[in-house]
Amino acid sequence: MNTTTETQFFARLARITREKGLDTTPGPVEDMPRPELPGHPAYHHTQRVNAALTKFERMTPPRYLTASTEHSRVCDWADQVAADVTQAPSLMLWGGTGTGKTHAAFGAVRRIALTGPTRFGFLATTFPDLYAALRPGASGDQERERLMRRVLSVPVLLLDDLGTTKSSPWTEETTYRIVNHRYNRMLPVILTSNEPPAALPELMGDRIASRLIEMTTRVEMTGADRRLTR
Ligand SMILES: Nc1ncnc2c1ncn2[C@@H]1O[C@H](COP(=O)(O)OP(=O)(O)O)[C@@H](O)[C@H]1O
Ligand SMILES: [Mg+2]
């Protein structure tokens, strides 16, 4: 339509609507979708929470699926990771058997998942299981390399039970590769151990201990063995 025809068209339209007594006052425009529909921020938040929880559940043993932590320093750490995974330190939970280290570790990761992070990846294992899976001959070279790549680069890594395996040059080198890689890239690790931080140099060697001390927030878990006091 050229401009003259357009003007004539709208003038005619206005006359007709006036003659028919139609109300042409513009009403409110509903351009915000409802919370349960795509396009609404709440919808996308729920999608992210569900995706993160699915990944959490895939990695988590049944005993710790609903773990939550009330420990304020552990909660603070999880909130730091949720706010910016590239700026958060690693976390070391240490203390006696049954004080709730593994529970708090999974609880912290669940807390992160529940914030609906934009990028969430999680791998959980114990040191003994990890060494067993990475040992030459445990599986095909490609499979072991794939596992190592994930351990090195997954956004959140949980390594349970540090210091329970008898150390050897191979375990020390493997641990060094993992710790050094994640230290350099500032990728968070959650470690649990029955041993106090002061025992790290003797347990892991100075190169690993020094990096772990710098990169972790250390939280002592105290109290009785929960398994015996139910
Ligand atoms: N805060 C908690 N609330 C409820 N149960 C807990 C809590 N912390 C630990 N538990 C339970 O106590 C037991 C021992 O905890 P766990 O984390 O496995 O101990 P640790 O790893 O220190 O040896 C587990 O059955 C765990 O589910
Ligand atoms: Mg444990």
Side-chain angles (χ1 to χ4, degrees):
M1 253 192 262
N2 64 39
T3 322
T4 322
T5 340
E6 202 177 313
T7 314
Q8 287 170 346
F9 171 78
F10 283 113
R12 202 162 150 246
L13 195 62
R15 184 171 49 76
I16 294 169
T17 46
R18 211 172 35 249
E19 282 169 8
K20 290 192 180 287
L22 296 173
D23 180 9
T24 54
T25 324
V29 179
E30 266 224 44
D31 56 359
M32 192 56 166
R34 281 175 284 140
E36 66 277 16
L37 292 178
H40 194 288
Y43 170 87
H44 295 286
H45 178 259
T46 307
Q47 296 287 104
R48 288 197 304 275
V49 170
N50 289 341
L53 280 178
T54 302
K55 287 183 186 173
F56 170 80
E57 284 161 11
R58 211 180 286 148
M59 266 297 138
T60 301
R63 181 172 301 279
Y64 303 105
L65 274 177
T66 57
S68 65
T69 179
E70 312 83 41
H71 197 298
S72 65
R73 291 187 59 213
V74 178
C75 291
D76 288 349
W77 176 83
D79 295 344
Q80 270 181 280
V81 175
D84 186 354
V85 73
T86 65
Q87 295 301 314
S90 289
L91 176 70
M92 181 170 169
L93 301 169
W94 66 278
T97 302
T99 51
K101 301 179 296 293
T102 305
H103 185 100
F106 280 105
V109 179
R110 192 161 154 268
R111 186 177 172 100
I112 297 167
L114 285 169
T115 66
T118 36
R119 187 167 170 260
F120 179 80
F122 173 47
L123 189 135
T125 185
T126 68
F127 274 96
D129 284 344
L130 182 64
Y131 295 139
L134 290 175
R135 194 172 301 126
S139 58
D141 287 353
Q142 279 190 348
E143 203 173 315
R144 287 188 299 120
E145 272 163 33
R146 203 178 317 126
L147 172 60
M148 190 57 161
R149 268 202 304 279
R150 275 208 75 207
V151 169
L152 294 178
S153 61
V154 72
V156 178
L157 174 67
L158 166 51
L159 293 175
D160 211 1
D161 292 333
L162 173 81
T164 48
T165 312
K166 203 171 175 325
S167 157
S168 72
W170 182 82
T171 58
E172 201 166 314
E173 202 45 44
T174 304
T175 312
Y176 176 75
R177 272 190 69 196
I178 298 166
V179 169
N180 186 51
H181 185 100
R182 298 192 66 97
Y183 170 85
N184 287 342
R185 284 161 185 77
M186 299 182 19
L187 291 167
V189 188
I190 311 173
L191 300 144
T192 75
S193 183
N194 276 28
E195 305 291 338
L200 285 177
E202 187 157 338
L203 272 176
M204 320 291 297
D206 288 338
R207 293 183 309 164
I208 298 172
S210 150
R211 285 167 178 75
L212 287 182
I213 296 295
E214 184 185 344
M215 71 202 266
T216 55
T217 293
R218 290 170 297 285
V219 176
E220 182 181 7
M221 303 295 287
T222 54
D225 183 340
R226 287 175 177 264
R227 297 191 188 96
L228 305 178
T229 54
R230 261 165 220 263

